[in-house]
């Protein structure tokens, strides 16, 4: 080792000193120390690797400080925290899908800090069933005779597959090749099937599957017909797939269940959004003859992450008896949030769901807010204007529905648009926007009106707080 590099190594601060010099990150001290140790080790390794090469121009202390601060910032930013969604994607899987109504959050709060009758029958003074009430409500909401709730729709499907398709000789899950899809959040239908011990029995082709294709697969190995709603893309032209009601007949004739994974879980009519497409509702899927229908709680239902299964009482009862069900059950906070959301839907108050309000808020209203924001930022070094865009429902639903929307468009004068976009992401609160036609855009449709002030403050900080870089 050269003298220069061993001198550099000796000049490295102690863990304690480096932690002190990094300033207050607001993180628990054991985390700070762990990060400092990791970064110092990395710096040491880099020095040893660079042995004999020219040293960096920057003084070692400053380099260490910069690297540790940025590592601590990274860690702090990775904490789960509220962010402002300027993407215009209403149900954004990376942003925790559906924001909950304030009344739902208030109910969670009360349940969280107190004891609750989660598994206790108050009238009988005896052990009760977790989620009894919400299951009854979901049954009524979906016009189904029973319901069960698990952690997410993927878990619902795994439970269904394990119950119906893992007992030889009946292990074949009959599914159209056109439905072997990947849905956002890394949900791949073929992988879920394999993980559940089921055998994939593909029928038809990517674009065309006929009723006859299904009928041919109804042999001794057939365990169920599974239909998966292709919510996140669409096929046009030479396409064919049988109606759910027709599949229900084929399954019934073969004496096996017909399972419909509708994914989105819309409880309202989605044709009012201007697209020429609509999401199937659970009630429709049940009416079309599905034995079981599953969907997510946090997509179009507008509730917490959950997987909901509705359908015939004896199938639901059998699923709940599966030992595996125990591993998929939800906690009190989720069940409480779902209960409040379902009650709200049963009361006909879907419009109180933030996702519904965002879908329906008139452009004129967004325009009024945009005008106020743009006027408030007129003194900043940026050409800030009111722009337009198309918001999307997201959550793997309604891919062709584009909701006209209003944006704040920014062309910063002192920094590049991509730099502004990045600075906004790491601001307080973090704001996620997008770049279109060279401008940074924030779609107001997915920004809560009460966040407008925070948006203005964050833009001010990002546009003024930085120099050309
Ligand atoms: C989103 C989706 C899933 C996965 O749901 P999670 O609740 O994220 O597990 C499954 N099937 C379909 C059709 C979906 O759209």
């Amino acid at each position: 080792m050269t003298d220069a590099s061993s001198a550099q190594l000796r000049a490295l601060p102690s863990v304690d000193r480096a932690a002190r010099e990094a300033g207050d990150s607001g993180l628990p001290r054991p985390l700070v120390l762990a990060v400092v140790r990791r970064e110092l080790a990395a710096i040491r390794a880099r020095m040893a690797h660079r042995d004999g090469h020219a040293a960096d121009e920057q003084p070692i202390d400053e380099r260490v400080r910069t690297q540790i601060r940025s590592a601590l910032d990274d860690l702090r930013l990775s904490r789960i925290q509220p962010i402002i969604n300027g993407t215009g994607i209403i149900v954004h899987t990376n942003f925790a899908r559906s924001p909950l109504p304030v009344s739902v959050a208030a109910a969670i709060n009360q349940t969280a800090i107190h004891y609750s009758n989660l598994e206790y029958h108050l009238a009988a003074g005896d052990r009760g069933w977790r989620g009894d009430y919400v299951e009854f409500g979901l049954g009524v909401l979906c016009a189904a005779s029973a319901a069960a709730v698990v952690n997410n729709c993927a878990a619902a499907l795994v439970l269904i597959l394990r119950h119906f398709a893992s007992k030889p000789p009946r292990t074949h899950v009959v599914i159209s090749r056109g439905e072997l899809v990947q849905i956002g959040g890394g949900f791949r239908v073929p992988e879920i099937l394999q993980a559940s011990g089921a055998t994939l029995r593909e029928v038809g082709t990517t674009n065309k599957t006929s009723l006859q294709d299904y009928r041919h697969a109804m042999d001794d190995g057939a365990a169920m017909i599974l239909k998966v709603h292709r919510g996140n893309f669409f096929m046009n032209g030479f396409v064919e797939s049988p109606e759910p009601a027709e599949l229900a007949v084929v399954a019934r004739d073969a004496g096996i269940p017909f399972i419909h994974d509708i994914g989105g879980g819309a409880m309202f009519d989605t044709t009012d959004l201007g697209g020429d497409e609509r999401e199937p509702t659970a009630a429709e899927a049940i009416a079309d003859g599905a034995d079981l229908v599953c969907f997510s709680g946090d997509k179009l239902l507008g509730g917490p992450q959950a997987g909901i299964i509705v359908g015939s009482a004896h199938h639901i009862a059998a699923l709940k008896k599966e030992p595996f069900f125990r591993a998929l059950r939800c906690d009190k906070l989720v069940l409480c949030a779902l209960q409040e959301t379902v009650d709200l839907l049963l009361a006909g108050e879907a419009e109180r769901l933030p996702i519904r309000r965002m879908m329906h808020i008139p452009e004129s209203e967004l325009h009024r807010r945009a005008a106020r924001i743009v006027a408030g930022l007129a003194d900043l070094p940026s050409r800030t204007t009111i722009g337009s865009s198309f918001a999307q429902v997201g959550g793997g639903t309604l891919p062709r529905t584009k909701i006209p929307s209003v944006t704040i468009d920014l062309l910063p004068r002192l920094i590049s648009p991509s730099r502004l976009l990045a600075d906004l992401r790491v601001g307080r609160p973090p704001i996620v926007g997008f770049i279109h036609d060279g401008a940074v855009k924030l779609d107001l449709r997915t920004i809560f009106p009460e966040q407008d002030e925070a948006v203005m403050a964050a833009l001010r900080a990002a546009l003024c707080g930085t120099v050309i870089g």
Side-chain angles (χ1 to χ4, degrees):
M1 183 167 285
T2 61
D3 286 353
S5 57
S6 56
Q8 274 201 337
L9 275 175
R10 274 196 310 276
L12 278 180
S14 67
V15 171
D16 238 25
R17 179 157 73 91
R20 210 170 337 108
E21 288 179 354
D24 184 15
S25 59
L27 293 168
R29 184 156 168 86
L31 295 189
V32 173
L33 294 180
V35 168
V36 168
R37 276 195 201 99
R38 185 188 69 201
E39 296 306 318
L40 284 177
I43 291 168
R44 238 179 256 119
R46 209 164 49 222
M47 281 177 172
H49 182 71
R50 288 222 194 120
D51 194 18
H53 294 274
D56 293 285
E57 328 66 69
Q58 232 183 1
I60 180 81
D61 267 4
E62 199 173 315
R63 245 186 303 150
V64 170
R65 223 170 10 243
T66 313
Q67 180 167 337
I68 289 177
R69 274 204 191 125
S70 118
L72 288 170
D73 279 346
D74 261 11
L75 184 64
R76 181 181 54 76
L77 280 165
S78 71
R79 299 187 86 244
I80 294 173
Q81 57 186 303
I83 65 166
I84 293 180
N85 175 9
T87 64
I89 298 166
I90 296 173
V91 180
H92 198 303
T93 292
N94 301 149
F95 302 168
R97 292 189 179 155
S98 296
L100 299 172
V102 173
S103 63
V104 173
I108 297 174
N109 187 40
Q110 285 305 305
T111 303
I113 63 178
H114 297 116
Y115 292 110
S116 66
N117 59 338
L118 180 66
E119 283 185 6
Y120 187 71
H121 195 291
L122 283 169
D126 207 350
R127 194 176 188 287
W129 172 265
R130 181 182 286 249
D132 240 350
Y133 178 87
V134 71
E135 287 172 2
F136 184 61
L138 282 164
V140 172
L141 192 61
C142 304
S145 48
V149 182
V150 291
N151 280 325
N152 50 36
C153 189
L157 215 46
V158 169
L159 180 67
I160 291 169
L161 291 164
R162 284 180 71 109
H163 179 71
F164 291 104
S166 67
K167 297 167 192 101
R170 290 204 177 271
T171 60
H172 296 175
V173 175
V174 181
I175 182 169
S176 161
R177 285 195 171 84
E179 293 170 11
L180 294 173
V181 294
Q182 166 154 358
I183 295 155
F187 176 86
R188 287 184 161 184
V189 176
E191 286 172 9
I192 292 278
L193 255 69
Q194 262 126 36
S196 313
T199 315
L200 194 59
R201 177 75 162 86
E202 307 167 47
V203 297
T205 61
T206 303
N207 58 330
K208 276 202 169 210
T209 306
S210 70
L211 209 53
Q212 211 48 32
D213 293 328
Y214 281 97
R215 283 226 175 81
H216 285 316
M218 295 299 110
D219 51 25
D220 292 344
M224 65 158 90
I225 293 181
L226 175 64
K227 181 166 183 63
V228 177
H229 178 57
R230 271 192 310 247
N232 56 348
F233 70 103
F234 57 95
M235 292 198 297
N236 239 334
F238 196 56
V239 289
E240 174 188 334
S241 57
E243 291 300 319
E246 299 174 302
L247 293 181
V249 173
V250 176
R252 199 179 322 124
D253 289 348
I256 59 172
F258 169 45
I259 315 292
H260 195 169
D261 172 8
I262 59 168
M267 294 295 149
F268 38 75
D269 187 8
T270 43
T271 50
D272 58 356
L273 298 174
D276 58 347
E277 58 187 346
R278 64 191 302 276
E279 283 288 306
T281 67
E284 283 163 12
I286 292 288
D288 281 342
D291 294 286
L292 292 171
V293 177
C294 59
F295 52 94
S296 298
D298 54 354
K299 290 180 178 172
L300 297 185
L301 184 83
Q305 178 188 306
I308 295 155
I309 311 170
V310 295
S312 75
H314 75 279
H315 283 325
I316 295 283
L319 288 178
K320 286 185 184 169
K321 283 202 197 87
E322 278 286 327
F324 194 57
F325 182 80
R326 176 65 180 77
L328 305 177
R329 75 181 191 186
C330 297
D331 85 316
K332 64 171 181 177
L333 300 183
V334 167
L335 289 172
C336 171
L338 190 61
Q339 162 182 296
E340 296 299 318
T341 309
V342 168
D343 270 2
L344 199 139
L345 290 166
L346 286 167
E349 293 178 5
E351 293 309 310
R352 279 178 48 206
L353 297 174
I355 58 163
R356 278 308 266 173
R357 278 213 302 270
M358 285 173 179
M359 287 174 202
H360 286 148
I361 186 163
E363 273 177 280
S364 58
E365 175 65 21
L366 297 176
H367 208 274
R368 196 185 55 71
R369 286 169 50 201
R372 206 182 135 257
I373 293 172
V374 167
L377 301 177
D379 59 316
L380 296 181
S382 161
R383 207 174 84 80
T384 308
T385 52
I386 302 175
S388 64
S389 184
F390 287 97
Q392 281 167 272
V393 175
T397 69
L398 303 169
R400 276 173 299 161
T401 299
K402 310 262 177 245
I403 311 172
S405 195
V406 177
T407 54
I408 305 294
D409 290 10
L410 300 120
L411 276 173
R413 296 213 178 88
L414 304 179
I415 53 175
S416 67
S418 56
R419 174 68 190 275
L420 174 61
L421 195 69
D423 285 350
L424 287 173
R425 282 200 310 267
V426 301
R428 295 184 198 214
I431 302 179
V432 187
F434 61 101
I435 291 186
H436 184 75
D437 277 346
V440 170
K441 287 169 89 79
L442 301 178
D443 192 323
L444 286 183
R445 192 171 285 283
T446 46
I447 296 177
F448 290 88
E450 60 269 25
Q451 293 176 324
D452 285 358
E453 292 303 324
V455 168
M456 287 169 77
L459 285 172
R460 190 163 283 281
L463 287 165
C464 294
T466 35
V467 286
I468 302 174

